[in-house]
Amino acid sequence: MGRTAVLIKRLPKFIGANILGTAIDTVLLWLLSQHIFKGYVGEYIISPIISFECAVLSNYLFSYFGIWKDRSEKHNRKAFAKKYLIYNLSSSVVFLLKMGFLLGIEIIFEWNVVICNLVALCISGFANFALGEWVIFRKRRS
């Protein structure tokens, strides 16, 4: 199968996993920002960090065992953990990008944090896929 065909096959899986991750992120963000953390820092900084980390774990599990399973080491806990740390680091870089968009959207449009988050997630999702395909789960040479 050619490179383009493989990308086309992976992309719907990636989108599906990220829809689930977005649902997790959004529901937790709403719960945390509306019922647990109050004030600007609680709503726009702490709540998105916590909800994001929960979504990262969900997305990693789908990526490792589903989307890029052909590139994941089988039954190797050390490799799984190492790759998770790299995945989390790259996701954190994309998270900072997402937070920039979230805060910028909030400043410009003054929308609710959940709406700002959804828009920012759509924008930063492209960076996440690229990192997964060409950095974290890149095809290893034999």
Side-chain angles (χ1 to χ4, degrees):
M1 191 180 311
R3 284 183 144 177
T4 304
V6 171
L7 284 176
I8 291 171
K9 186 178 175 184
R10 287 189 206 285
L11 192 57
K13 292 178 183 178
F14 179 82
I15 291 170
N18 279 275
I19 288 172
L20 177 61
T22 299
I24 290 167
D25 191 7
T26 303
V27 169
L28 282 174
L29 177 61
W30 177 78
L31 287 170
L32 293 169
S33 66
Q34 298 301 311
H35 300 290
I36 296 175
F37 298 105
K38 298 298 178 190
Y40 186 85
V41 172
E43 287 182 48
Y44 287 90
I45 306 295
I46 297 171
S47 296
I49 289 172
I50 294 170
S51 66
F52 169 78
E53 280 299 323
C54 292
V56 165
L57 178 59
S58 167
N59 288 347
Y60 177 71
L61 293 172
F62 276 99
S63 294
Y64 190 88
F65 292 112
I67 302 165
W68 287 284
K69 69 181 174 186
D70 59 315
R71 297 181 185 173
S72 299
E73 294 79 11
K74 305 291 185 236
H75 309 291
N76 186 334
R77 290 182 185 151
K78 185 177 178 182
F80 177 86
K82 180 181 176 187
K83 199 165 279 199
Y84 177 68
L85 290 174
I86 295 166
Y87 184 87
N88 202 344
L89 179 63
S90 75
S91 294
S92 296
V93 170
V94 173
F95 173 76
L96 294 175
L97 177 70
K98 181 196 88 157
M99 284 300 293
F101 285 120
L102 184 152
L103 295 172
I105 292 164
E106 191 277 328
I107 289 167
I108 294 167
F109 298 105
E110 298 181 359
W111 293 341
N112 179 278
V113 65
V114 173
I115 302 301
C116 295
N117 190 60
L118 288 172
V119 174
L121 280 169
C122 290
I123 297 167
S124 62
F126 293 107
N128 243 348
F129 182 77
L131 285 168
E133 179 66 23
W134 292 296
V135 177
I136 300 158
F137 296 102
R138 73 181 173 272
K139 192 171 185 173
R140 306 278 188 230
R141 293 194 173 137
S142 301

